[in-house]
Amino acid sequence: MAEVQSFDNLLACRNLLKASIDNSTALALALDKTGPRIAELDQKLTFLEMAIRPGGSKNCTFAAVRDHISLALGPSAAVLKILDSIRELEKSLLSDSLPHSDIFSYISTIKQFEDAIKFLTANCNLAIQWLEGVIQFLEGNSVADDRYISKVKRSVAILEELQATGEQAGRNGELLSGAFAKLEISFKQILTESSVPLGFTDSSSPSTAKQANNAALPLPGPILRKLQVIVEKLNTGNRTNSCISVFIEVRSLNAKNSLRALDLDYLENAVEEYEDVQHMEGCIHEWSKHMEFMVKCVLESEHMLCNEVFGSLASGAWTGCFAKIAVESGILLFLRFGMSIAETKKSPTKLLHLLNIFSVLETLRMDFNKLFGGESCNEIKTMTRDLVTKVVNGASEIFWELPLQVELERRSSPPSDGGVPRLVSFVTDYCNRLLDDNYRPILTQVLRIHQGWKYEKYEEGLVTNQIYSIVREIAVNLDAWSKAYERKALSYIFMMNNHCHFTSLKGTKLGNLMGDSWLNAHGNYKEYYSALYLRETWGKILASLTQDNPDSSPKMRLMAFNEAFDDMYKKQLNWVVMDESLRNKMHKLVVQALVPAYTSYLQKYRVVVEHRSDVFYTVQSLETMLNTLFKAKQVKYTSSTLGSHLTGEQRNAVIDQFRFTLTAM
């Protein structure tokens, strides 16, 4: 069984193998027949490939070119649209009318024009890049003729020229320059029309005047905003210099007009041209008011305005602008006036002038620091610093020399009429002014500063001690002067007058400083010298009537009395008692001393008198003559104002005498 089955399998395998061989033989015969046909077809495909390949490459290249051109068409179309917009904007900017009536719209138009120019140049640049890519692609693949490439290059050149024109226009080209010029003209016109001088009322304080003009300080809001937007726009084109120059010109003129009504001619006059001390004091008083108005109102306004109009500039140009306005307005002229006073010759009244100047500068110190603190104001700061230095040094020097100055006057002669020396009246009034509430705090501050500059400690009571020294030197002078009189009686009148003068200081600053004991002592001395005067003069005459002399008759004694009275009266005719109440008292004392005794004598010897009435004084005539004594032949020294009791010539004479003493030291 097994063998049969194995045989059958072998037979089946042989049959299968035979069939396979038969099939292979048939396939080989078929391949032999189709080989030549395939070789022929292969040759045809090769030729077809060679024919088709160039055409496909060109299609791919043209597709790439088309894409580049499509990308360039967008920016190019945008350029054309922007050009149309620019032409419309140009019409508005080239209009003949000035834009100040609608400055905001005009500036908006300028901004739109600038933005359009920027957009134009940006799109030109983008289109140029894509077209340059097209040219590079065409030249690299040789798919287009030279004429086509030339046209593309021409388009690129046009766009490059347009881009350059746009860039130039964006950098202050002719059109923008013209627009900016219009803005500058409008800036000046708006500023000029809106600038109104400040008013100064002499009866009002500077602070009141400032409040009254507050509505105009600074310019109204809408006007300020117009000026600000013009400056901001011009700043983008680096065109603010012209605006600043115009601003300085217009606002300086406005400041000058604010000061024009003040009559400032005195600022330019030489100090020697002032008629007298009183005139100079008046000028300094005017200067103090005008200086305060100048700084607190006029320059404060300009400082504020400069900051608001030009404060946005990063260069900080507004401080330089203000500095020029301050100089042009005349602040240096005010400072030079103070300097001219500080440089005059030394005199006691100069001390008061310097204290007045210092008071003004101290009042304005914070304002000066605020207004002139920048480097642009160095000239003003330097002159102010020099002025303060001269004022402090000059005032301190004069103050310290006052006692010595009084001492040096000891060599002068006393008044021939026995009155109060002009120097004494001047110095006591002068000390009262130094001690009053207007000057003493200023003087104390000046001395404190001066001591600090010398690195010395300021001691309280310094001013008081110096006044004591001055009064002490006056007292010594009076003793020396009283001894210069040949007649004792006149020296008594002199001392009586001066002690009365010191007594009259009760209730004044100097009197309060010296104290009641000092005042009472002078009152006692006044009475003492009054008694000495009466005893030395009318007391001796009266003795000729009251003393019995056996060698002389009543008639002879009466004649001797009349002769002595005549002589005494003539000697005293030019003597004065300055104080009216003291003069009336002296009249009463003299009359009481003489008239009753004379009346009694005449009654006792009536017979003698009746026979020789032509040579004897009547009681009435005697009393009348006595009441004419001691009358001042000049204006009384009653004013508490320094030197006001003197005429202009007399006041200047006293001051010139002091000045000579000071400058000779």
Side-chain angles (χ1 to χ4, degrees):
M1 252 338 257
E3 291 180 359
V4 173
Q5 185 177 2
S6 178
F7 178 76
D8 289 338
N9 289 337
L10 288 173
L11 182 60
C13 288
R14 182 181 69 80
N15 292 334
L16 178 61
L17 181 61
K18 181 178 181 187
S20 297
I21 291 172
D22 290 341
N23 289 335
S24 297
T25 301
L27 180 59
L29 290 173
L31 287 173
D32 288 339
K33 291 179 180 179
T34 59
R37 293 177 62 192
I38 291 173
E40 183 181 357
L41 181 60
D42 182 61
Q43 186 176 5
K44 290 181 179 180
L45 287 173
T46 301
F47 288 132
L48 180 61
E49 181 183 3
M50 293 177 63
I52 293 174
R53 184 181 297 145
S57 176
K58 287 183 180 180
N59 288 336
C60 293
T61 301
F62 284 126
V65 170
R66 180 188 61 202
D67 292 340
H68 278 76
I69 292 176
S70 297
L71 292 171
L73 287 176
S76 300
V79 167
L80 295 175
K81 291 181 180 179
I82 296 169
L83 285 174
D84 291 337
S85 299
I86 289 175
R87 292 190 185 96
E88 293 298 322
L89 293 171
E90 285 178 346
K91 293 178 182 179
S92 300
L93 295 179
L94 292 173
S95 173
D96 292 335
S97 61
L98 290 174
H100 64 273
S101 58
D102 193 6
I103 197 70
F104 299 102
S105 297
Y106 191 77
I107 290 177
S108 178
T109 301
I110 294 177
K111 190 174 187 309
Q112 291 175 21
F113 178 80
E114 291 175 327
D115 291 342
I117 291 296
K118 292 178 182 178
F119 197 46
L120 173 68
T121 55
N123 279 274
C124 284
N125 183 55
L126 187 59
I128 289 170
Q129 290 178 5
W130 286 115
L131 289 178
E132 286 178 343
V134 171
I135 295 172
Q136 183 178 3
F137 201 88
L138 292 176
E139 290 178 342
N141 292 277
S142 301
V143 295
D145 56 20
D146 292 339
R147 185 178 59 180
Y148 179 78
I149 294 175
S150 177
K151 288 181 179 180
V152 178
K153 288 183 177 180
R154 183 181 176 187
S155 299
V156 171
I158 293 172
L159 287 171
E160 287 177 339
E161 183 178 353
L162 187 59
Q163 181 186 20
T165 302
E167 290 175 348
Q168 178 61 32
R171 294 193 299 267
N172 278 356
E174 183 177 350
L175 184 62
L176 272 182
S177 294
F180 287 158
K182 285 186 177 182
L183 288 181
E184 291 169 354
I185 295 172
S186 295
F187 182 90
K188 182 175 183 178
Q189 188 166 350
I190 293 171
L191 184 65
T192 302
E193 293 175 353
S194 305
S195 295
V196 180
L198 300 179
F200 174 79
T201 304
D202 189 39
S203 59
S204 63
S205 65
S207 59
T208 304
K210 182 178 180 180
Q211 293 173 358
N213 291 282
N214 235 1
L217 301 175
L219 298 179
I223 299 298
L224 277 175
R225 185 56 190 156
K226 286 183 179 181
L227 298 177
Q228 288 168 346
V229 296
I230 292 175
V231 170
E232 290 169 2
K233 186 70 258 174
L234 291 176
N235 187 43
T236 62
N238 296 321
R239 293 282 293 264
T240 56
N241 287 340
S242 177
C243 266
I244 292 174
S245 298
V246 165
F247 190 89
I248 293 171
E249 176 188 350
V250 173
R251 294 306 300 181
S252 295
L253 179 60
N254 189 72
K256 290 178 181 178
N257 290 335
S258 298
L259 299 170
R260 187 159 293 163
L262 303 184
D263 189 15
L264 301 176
D265 292 343
Y266 67 89
L267 293 178
E268 299 181 0
N269 294 337
V271 175
E272 292 76 11
E273 296 181 17
Y274 297 132
E275 297 176 2
D276 53 31
V277 174
Q278 190 172 7
H279 183 208
M280 183 181 292
E281 288 179 348
C283 290
I284 294 175
H285 178 67
E286 290 297 300
W287 174 83
S288 65
K289 294 188 299 181
H290 297 162
M291 179 73 156
E292 194 165 352
F293 174 73
M294 170 73 162
V295 174
K296 285 186 173 292
C297 295
V298 177
L299 294 184
E300 171 70 22
S301 168
E302 298 306 324
H303 186 268
M304 186 186 306
L305 199 57
C306 286
N307 187 22
E308 292 188 359
V309 175
F310 298 107
S312 62
L313 302 183
S315 62
W318 76 271
T319 55
C321 178
F322 168 73
K324 292 179 181 178
I325 292 175
V327 171
E328 290 293 326
S329 300
I331 184 63
L332 295 181
L333 195 60
F334 278 89
L335 294 174
R336 289 192 189 102
F337 174 83
M339 191 70 74
S340 67
I341 300 298
E343 292 174 348
T344 56
K345 295 179 180 179
K346 289 187 294 185
S347 72
T349 53
K350 179 182 176 181
L351 172 57
L352 301 178
H353 297 162
L354 295 180
L355 293 179
N356 285 328
I357 291 174
F358 181 85
S359 177
V360 174
L361 296 176
E362 178 62 18
T363 300
L364 299 175
R365 181 166 56 88
M366 298 300 294
D367 299 275
F368 268 67
N369 291 340
K370 172 186 173 182
L371 299 179
F372 311 122
E375 292 184 2
S376 302
C377 297
N378 280 341
E379 183 179 9
I380 300 174
K381 287 193 295 185
T382 299
M383 183 172 289
T384 304
R385 184 168 52 249
D386 291 345
L387 176 57
V388 171
T389 301
K390 285 183 177 293
V391 167
V392 171
N393 288 338
S396 300
E397 183 179 356
I398 294 174
F399 180 73
W400 289 120
E401 292 176 358
L402 286 175
L404 180 58
Q405 179 187 1
V406 174
E407 178 187 350
L408 292 175
E409 292 301 317
R410 201 168 297 160
R411 295 171 293 184
S412 61
S413 300
S416 60
D417 58 5
V420 178
R422 295 169 182 169
L423 180 65
V424 173
S425 178
F426 182 91
V427 170
T428 53
D429 285 342
Y430 183 78
C431 289
N432 264 323
R433 292 191 72 179
L434 290 180
L435 291 170
D436 70 21
D437 295 337
N438 292 325
Y439 284 108
R440 185 167 184 171
I442 303 171
L443 176 59
T444 300
Q445 186 175 3
V446 167
L447 295 175
R448 192 185 301 275
I449 293 173
H450 189 255
Q451 295 290 93
W453 286 351
K454 297 192 301 181
Y455 302 100
E456 297 178 0
K457 182 180 179 181
Y458 176 81
E459 296 181 1
E460 298 297 333
L462 188 149
V463 173
T464 299
N465 292 335
Q466 190 74 346
I467 297 297
Y468 285 149
S469 298
I470 295 172
V471 174
R472 184 165 54 250
E473 294 300 331
I474 293 177
V476 176
N477 283 9
L478 290 177
D479 288 338
W481 288 333
S482 68
K483 296 174 182 177
Y485 289 105
E486 294 181 0
R487 295 185 178 91
K488 286 185 178 181
L490 183 56
S491 71
Y492 297 152
I493 289 288
F494 172 77
M495 295 301 287
M496 181 179 64
N497 274 320
N498 284 278
H499 285 297
C500 181
H501 173 75
F502 289 126
T503 304
S504 68
L505 296 175
K506 184 178 180 63
T508 66
K509 295 292 184 180
L510 180 58
N512 294 337
L513 174 67
M514 300 306 296
D516 290 339
S517 59
W518 183 83
L519 293 169
N520 294 334
H522 282 291
N524 293 334
Y525 277 117
K526 177 185 69 174
E527 300 296 333
Y528 171 73
Y529 283 108
S530 297
L532 289 180
Y533 161 76
L534 289 173
R535 188 179 66 185
E536 181 68 22
T537 54
W538 309 112
K540 290 183 177 181
I541 294 176
L542 188 60
S544 62
L545 291 178
T546 58
Q547 293 178 356
D548 292 333
N549 187 351
D551 295 332
S552 63
S553 65
K555 176 181 176 181
M556 293 177 61
R557 288 199 297 272
L558 190 59
M559 292 181 63
F561 172 83
N562 276 261
E563 290 176 359
F565 180 87
D566 271 344
D567 182 62
M568 184 65 68
Y569 179 80
K570 290 177 182 178
K571 289 178 180 178
Q572 297 190 35
L573 191 60
N574 292 321
W575 296 3
V576 297
V577 175
M578 304 303 301
D579 183 78
E580 184 177 1
S581 62
L582 177 61
R583 183 167 61 249
N584 292 334
K585 180 180 179 180
M586 293 304 298
H587 285 158
K588 185 177 180 180
L589 290 175
V590 173
V591 168
Q592 288 177 348
L594 288 181
V595 172
Y598 186 68
T599 301
S600 176
Y601 196 87
L602 290 180
Q603 291 176 348
K604 183 176 181 181
Y605 299 100
R606 181 179 304 174
V607 176
V608 176
V609 174
E610 289 176 351
H611 287 287
R612 298 297 304 272
S613 60
D614 57 328
V615 297
F616 302 134
Y617 288 111
T618 66
V619 173
Q620 184 62 38
S621 63
L622 187 71
E623 186 173 351
T624 300
M625 291 179 66
L626 291 175
N627 284 329
T628 62
L629 291 175
F630 313 133
K631 294 292 182 70
K633 304 303 187 293
Q634 58 184 357
V635 180
K636 298 189 294 293
Y637 301 176
T638 58
S639 174
S640 61
T641 303
L642 176 61
S644 62
H645 58 276
L646 304 176
T647 64
E649 291 184 359
Q650 291 169 338
R651 184 186 302 108
N652 288 330
V654 174
I655 294 169
D656 287 342
Q657 184 179 3
F658 267 41
R659 180 183 296 121
F660 175 78
T661 304
L662 281 170
T663 54
M665 292 166 57

